[in-house]
Amino acid sequence: MSQATPLLELDGLCKTFGGLTVTDQVSFSVMPGEISAIIGPNGAGKTTLFNQITGHLKPDRGRIVFNGQDVAGLPTQKIVAMGMGRAFQVASIFLGESVLDNVRVACLSKLGQTRRPFRPVSEFKRATTRGLEILESLGLAGYAARQAHELAHGDQKLLDIGIALALDPVLLLLDEPTSGMSPEERHLTRDLVHKLWKDFNLTLLFIEHDMDTVFGLAQTVRVLQSGRLLAEGSPDEIRANPEVITAYLGEEVA
Ligand SMILES: Nc1ncnc2c1ncn2[C@@H]1O[C@H](COP(=O)(O)OP(=O)(O)OP(=O)(O)O)[C@@H](O)[C@H]1O
Ligand SMILES: [Mg+2]
């Protein structure tokens, strides 16, 4: 794929819940290798947008072209198999399983082994090795044998990212990676997300309310308000945009 071809392209995406328009003619393109943010007030439709991109919700109208294929309305597992990963606003992990098993199951699924009744032991070994590598990259290897519910909130969010990474995504969507974290944890997570983006050769699209994280990480920032794309630009352009300041950023940035 050439640099000029977007990895993800949304075109006229629309979604309503009853009378409520939550995605209103949203169009934008994400280029391969980009790290970009989606910001906007609570209820702006950010998570709902992710839900449509990852196949958890079917858009009413519009196209979602991922890697050259329209994936709008496709089942999530197909979209994941095409190379899209996602970590959730509330960490989606198996609380009663070990930290390692959380990523190991995803590694096995990536190896295509989950539906085979008889599996060579070597596949488990490969999945274990890969799982431990991923935990290492997240700073969680020391907790591999712990139950996931024993992890602190921030580490549970990282484990959710680990599960997504185990599926080898080219595009990773993160829904509020630093939510619920202390300022210090947010700082560490910001650095970690940047490192993961580089080390795993990702195209990364994240939703975030913490503006230090947004402006510290994103090359491009998109602003949603009431389901509509209010603005798109570089961090400097977004920070200086009067409409964005009025709608969301307020005096924090002004
Ligand atoms: N399944 C659903 N059925 C009906 N309404 C929904 C559903 N999911 C979301 N909504 C509504 O859609 C709107 C957008 O919600 P969404 O969760 O996408 O916002 P958000 O921008 O992610 O907000 P936050 O920053 O608080 O996470 C809200 O008004 C929400 O109540
Ligand atoms: Mg949300």
Side-chain angles (χ1 to χ4, degrees):
M1 184 174 282
S2 82
Q3 275 304 106
T5 308
L7 179 62
L8 177 73
E9 204 174 354
L10 308 189
D11 181 14
L13 212 60
C14 293
K15 180 77 190 169
T16 55
F17 289 123
L20 183 69
T21 300
V22 283
T23 307
D24 190 0
Q25 289 288 342
V26 170
S27 302
F28 62 77
S29 297
V30 175
M31 301 309 287
E34 184 179 291
I35 180 165
S36 59
I38 297 178
I39 65 173
N42 294 117
K46 304 178 297 297
T47 298
T48 305
L49 189 66
F50 268 19
N51 284 340
Q52 292 165 83
I53 295 171
T54 56
H56 291 84
L57 275 178
K58 192 172 190 287
D60 296 339
R61 278 201 313 280
R63 295 191 320 143
I64 303 170
V65 179
F66 174 54
N67 238 338
Q69 190 179 331
D70 192 349
V71 298
L74 284 187
T76 299
Q77 65 268 27
K78 278 205 174 157
I79 298 173
V80 169
M82 290 172 63
M84 196 187 296
R86 173 179 183 181
F88 291 81
Q89 190 163 345
V90 176
S92 173
I93 60 177
F94 299 104
L95 291 169
E97 304 299 330
S98 76
V99 171
L100 176 57
D101 278 345
N102 267 271
V103 284
R104 185 159 43 188
V105 165
C107 291
L108 275 172
S109 150
K110 180 65 193 177
L111 289 167
Q113 299 302 314
T114 49
R115 293 210 182 109
R116 278 175 51 187
F118 304 109
R119 302 169 204 176
V121 173
S122 62
E123 295 298 350
F124 283 105
K125 287 189 176 157
R126 272 173 61 199
T128 303
T129 305
R130 181 70 183 138
L132 285 170
E133 277 170 10
I134 288 167
L135 291 181
E136 190 73 49
S137 70
L138 295 162
L140 294 177
Y143 303 121
R146 299 272 187 89
Q147 298 257 298
H149 70 81
E150 294 177 64
L151 292 181
H153 165 82
D155 287 339
Q156 290 187 351
K157 293 208 63 127
L158 296 184
L159 181 57
D160 195 16
I161 295 177
I163 294 169
L165 289 173
L167 296 165
D168 254 343
V170 289
L171 173 66
L172 181 60
L173 309 184
L174 303 180
D175 196 344
E176 300 197 26
T178 76
S179 69
M181 293 184 180
S182 67
E184 193 184 326
E185 283 176 316
R186 283 204 296 266
H187 191 88
L188 290 171
T189 302
R190 194 182 313 150
D191 290 349
L192 181 65
V193 168
H194 189 262
K195 188 169 157 28
L196 295 174
W197 169 63
K198 281 203 305 188
D199 292 353
F200 285 80
N201 289 317
L202 297 166
T203 302
L204 213 147
L205 179 60
F206 66 97
I207 295 169
E208 187 53 69
H209 284 289
D210 177 55
M211 288 306 120
D212 287 339
T213 302
V214 169
F215 293 119
L217 280 181
Q219 298 162 337
T220 301
V221 180
R222 302 180 184 89
V223 187
L224 273 190
Q225 189 199 22
S226 305
R228 202 169 60 81
L229 188 66
L230 180 70
E232 177 176 28
S234 69
D236 283 347
E237 287 166 341
I238 293 299
R239 255 193 294 242
N241 183 315
E243 269 194 297
V244 177
I245 292 169
T246 305
Y248 182 55
L249 293 178
E251 292 179 1
E252 186 184 345
V253 173

